[in-house]
Amino acid sequence: MSNYAVEFKNFHYAYNGGELVLKDINVSVKEGSFTVLLGPSGAGKTTMCKAMAGIIPYYYGGRYAGSVEVLGEDTKGRRVSDIAMHLGLMLEDYESQLVSLTAGEEVSFSLLNHGFPPEEVEEPTKKALEDVGLPGRENYQLDELSGGQRQRLLLASVLAVHPRVLVLDEPVSAMDPEGSVSLYKLLYKIHQKYNMTVIVVEHNLDYVLPYVTDMIVLQDGGVVASGSFEEAAAAAYEDRELRRILPALWQVKLNLEKRDGIHLGMWRNTKDAIVELKEKYGRAEL
Amino acid sequence: MRVTAFTQLITVLAVTAVVFILPVQAVSFILVLELALLLYIKHDRMTMAAIGALTVFTGMMILLQLLFQSSLEVAMIGGLRMLVMTMAFLCLLAATRIQDIAQALVERFHMPCEYAFMLTTALRFVPDFLTDSSATLDAQSCRGYSNRGNVFKRMYSYLVVIKPLVMRAVAKSDTLALSMELKGFGANTYKNMKKQELGIGDYLVLTVVIILSTYKFWVKYL
Ligand SMILES: Nc1ncnc2c1ncn2[C@@H]1O[C@H](COP(=O)(O)OP(=O)(O)OP(=O)(O)O)[C@@H](O)[C@H]1O
Ligand SMILES: [Mg+2]
């Protein structure tokens, strides 16, 4: 078995009657990594997430070539719900992905569907709700939960089957900054606790900077940079358009590195930056 | 003593049939029973509003029948029957969770699970849809939508609200379908739930229901 969580091999895809949306994708995500998927709007990030879960091409049809492997197994010919046992996917519009009327039912839904008897479902349901910070809310009606809580509930329902890989499409796009920070904190905690591979589409890299290990940069349906976050960020910095979507802090860092031909460390936050700048330049006015 | 959703469903169906057989006094008695039951289960504002709306609606039906030259008595009895029937469904909805009704429909009546699940999703998405429609109305009002003019003009201008609303509903149902696919919705969904076993309460209620619905038959021969 390979130690890649997800591996795209010469993958091409076009929606029904459309033109190519993903072009010759050759990229892999290491197991245990915290990978961010970055790219301008319309680059094909959501399409790529759906391809990982096997929804594409199974559900949408369309033309495709190449293969996608999840934990070393080709997604072709497998049922979407079986892949979901290994790779959990959370799409952007979380409200519409909740299918039940109470929190407990929502979390146990996929477990029951996979044939676990009702007695064996209670325990994992309880645990999944605890993991996302909603302990003891089994009997809550959906409308008794706030938007953020509903999103965590969806996360719990995805986590309930213990997937090895978690894929999230813009999880904080409808959230205030405070909620966003705490959601990523939670994701990191789960990533650490279960050594779960996390792949997340995020426009605002500031949120993921403290946790990220790898990055894939997508543009016009092709991968333009991938690998460790530092490598990929350096590669993205070379492109004028992509440069602007990097975090401000990293634009400074990469600019300094280029100007002075030095190598700076992995800046996870402003503090890291200040410490290193003081050390290297004797001052730090950002 | 608990009564399962299956028994409740059967009872409601029986009541809707029985109102046409039983004499008026008995039907009125059922109505009183239903009202008492309903107020016992739930007496919040929603229930009151529902009862009120039903009464008004029944009144209108009676008036309509009178307009079409039925005698007062026929109109009254017709109204009463309708009120009893709808009130029975109201009781059902107040007493049972829709999920249990769906489960009973699949388990006992062998309804395909997709249709049964529609009950749950409908209840789940109606509030969302209402929120969406008021949001769309606001958004389009900002862009100059107004409901002035004659009926046709109004209906035509209302299209600008309907269109985005439908688009949104379609997008949402697409996501919902995907989510159900990911979570493995299918024949297993209801099979693996805790079975709804019939208890003493169920048999008691069912017996009463059977006796009442065969009333015409045994009253003749006893
Ligand atoms: N269901 C669909 N049918 C046809 N074309 C689609 C469909 N979904 C997306 N596309 C097209 O595929 C391309 C990539 O879309 P995708 O949603 O993957 O972009 P994205 O990177 O997620 O963008 P965003 O950041 O805006 O979410 C777009 O050009 C879009 O028009
Ligand atoms: Mg997207």
Side-chain angles (χ1 to χ4, degrees):
Chain A
M1 197 161 134
S2 76
N3 38 7
Y4 290 127
V6 181
E7 196 173 7
F8 285 80
K9 288 181 181 162
N10 304 318
F11 190 76
H12 296 70
Y13 183 74
Y15 284 100
N16 253 330
E19 38 189 291
L20 275 184
V21 173
L22 293 179
K23 296 161 205 151
D24 199 19
I25 306 281
N26 278 292
V27 78
S28 49
V29 177
K30 285 201 284 299
E31 259 207 277
S33 68
F34 195 115
T35 301
V36 62
L37 188 55
L38 185 71
S41 185
K45 303 179 296 290
T46 302
T47 310
M48 218 164 139
C49 291
K50 287 179 178 170
M52 294 181 205
I55 299 172
I56 278 172
Y58 172 81
Y59 184 84
Y60 281 99
R63 296 172 291 133
Y64 78 105
S67 67
V68 183
E69 288 179 6
V70 171
L71 299 167
E73 268 187 81
D74 200 332
T75 56
K76 198 150 89 191
R78 289 165 73 197
R79 279 191 19 217
V80 173
S81 60
D82 290 336
I83 300 172
M85 297 291 274
H86 305 286
L87 181 141
L89 171 65
M90 223 171 109
L91 293 166
E92 203 181 338
D93 177 9
Y94 59 90
E95 295 278 357
S96 310
Q97 291 172 74
L98 296 167
V99 297
S100 310
L101 292 166
T102 70
E105 278 169 33
E106 187 63 51
V107 178
S108 55
F109 188 71
S110 44
L111 286 168
L112 288 173
N113 288 343
H114 278 97
F116 291 91
E119 313 83 57
E120 279 176 42
V121 166
E122 264 167 44
E123 190 55 37
T125 301
K126 191 165 154 267
K127 207 150 167 302
L129 282 174
E130 276 166 14
D131 276 341
V132 300
L134 296 172
R137 306 274 168 103
E138 277 92 339
N139 291 322
Y140 274 53
Q141 300 283 321
L142 243 48
D143 50 18
E144 291 172 323
L145 299 172
S146 72
Q149 287 175 329
R150 278 205 283 268
Q151 188 179 32
R152 281 162 189 240
L153 174 62
L154 179 64
L155 184 59
S157 78
V158 170
L159 291 176
V161 296
H162 290 296
R164 296 297 312 137
V165 190
L166 182 63
V167 182
L168 304 109
D169 190 8
E170 304 192 28
V172 297
S173 60
M175 228 184 241
D176 56 67
E178 221 169 287
S180 308
V181 169
S182 83
L183 183 81
Y184 275 111
K185 220 176 243 165
L186 174 70
L187 284 177
Y188 185 65
K189 210 177 86 192
I190 291 163
H191 163 74
Q192 292 276 297
K193 186 171 172 189
Y194 297 108
N195 190 24
M196 192 181 279
T197 312
V198 174
I199 304 171
V200 59
V201 177
E202 180 55 66
H203 283 285
N204 189 345
L205 286 183
D206 289 329
Y207 290 133
V208 290
L209 202 51
Y211 316 116
V212 68
T213 63
D214 292 49
M215 177 158 79
I216 298 172
V217 185
L218 213 59
Q219 193 178 27
D220 294 331
V223 174
V224 288
S226 70
S228 76
F229 183 75
E230 283 162 299
E231 286 167 20
Y237 189 73
E238 297 303 316
D239 186 294
R240 281 194 164 279
E241 191 196 337
L242 292 175
R243 181 181 293 183
R244 271 177 297 154
I245 51 182
L246 292 174
L249 200 59
W250 277 65
Q251 290 183 31
V252 172
K253 171 181 129 96
L254 291 161
N255 186 24
L256 283 179
E257 283 185 347
K258 214 167 159 186
R259 194 189 70 187
D260 299 346
I262 53 165
H263 182 74
L264 297 166
M266 176 79 194
W267 289 0
R268 293 219 176 260
N269 48 43
T270 334
K271 223 174 97 205
D272 287 357
I274 292 177
V275 169
E276 191 166 28
L277 286 178
K278 278 230 173 88
E279 195 180 286
K280 290 240 160 76
Y281 291 88
R283 67 198 177 88
E285 286 117 33
L286 286 178
Chain B
M1 194 169 63
R2 293 216 56 83
V3 177
T4 61
F6 167 70
T7 313
Q8 295 181 14
L9 259 171
I10 290 284
T11 313
V12 169
L13 291 178
V15 165
T16 54
V18 140
V19 288
F20 292 102
I21 328 173
L22 291 179
V24 182
Q25 297 89 333
V27 176
S28 327
F29 180 65
I30 295 181
L31 181 63
V32 174
L33 270 184
E34 279 175 357
L35 270 175
L37 189 68
L38 192 56
L39 291 179
Y40 171 69
I41 304 168
K42 231 183 196 174
H43 39 268
D44 51 1
R45 253 185 58 218
M46 281 289 283
T47 324
M48 297 300 179
I51 294 175
L54 270 183
T55 318
V56 171
F57 188 63
T58 312
M60 274 161 53
M61 288 296 284
I62 293 174
L63 273 181
L64 217 71
Q65 283 199 21
L66 283 177
L67 275 182
F68 285 100
Q69 337 254 271
S70 312
S71 71
L72 182 65
E73 201 191 335
V74 171
M76 289 293 262
I77 294 177
L80 178 68
R81 282 179 179 152
M82 213 200 65
L83 192 59
V84 171
M85 277 157 65
T86 38
M87 202 71 89
F89 277 99
L90 213 56
C91 283
L92 177 69
L93 290 180
T96 328
R97 300 184 322 147
I98 199 95
Q99 297 98 305
D100 294 334
I101 298 178
Q103 195 187 346
L105 284 172
V106 173
E107 265 179 22
R108 309 275 172 181
F109 296 95
H110 300 284
M111 190 191 247
C113 57
E114 289 86 357
Y115 294 102
F117 200 72
M118 253 160 42
L119 288 178
T120 330
T121 34
L123 208 64
R124 157 83 186 83
F125 282 95
V126 162
D128 281 22
F129 188 74
L130 292 180
T131 320
D132 270 5
S133 68
S134 75
T136 314
L137 193 61
D138 287 349
Q140 297 295 52
S141 298
C142 293
R143 297 187 188 135
Y145 160 76
S146 85
N147 58 351
R148 298 235 181 82
N150 64 31
V151 178
F152 295 105
K153 213 167 168 187
R154 268 194 227 179
M155 283 213 297
Y156 184 73
S157 57
Y158 198 64
L159 272 182
V160 299
V161 178
I162 300 281
K163 273 188 206 157
L165 203 56
V166 169
M167 298 298 276
R168 251 160 105 150
V170 168
K172 282 192 163 196
S173 58
D174 193 48
T175 312
L176 170 71
L178 271 185
S179 172
M180 283 167 65
E181 191 81 48
L182 284 168
K183 292 177 178 178
F185 173 82
N188 263 337
T189 304
Y190 288 99
K191 234 181 263 166
N192 292 327
M193 284 184 184
K194 232 177 233 141
K195 287 270 173 313
Q196 298 177 349
E197 304 289 353
L198 297 188
I200 303 176
D202 293 287
Y203 290 115
L204 226 84
V205 173
L206 284 175
T207 315
V208 173
V209 166
I210 289 171
I211 292 174
L212 277 183
S213 35
T214 48
Y215 159 86
K216 262 268 158 75
F217 187 73
W218 50 257
V219 99
K220 225 178 251 172
Y221 293 95
L222 275 181

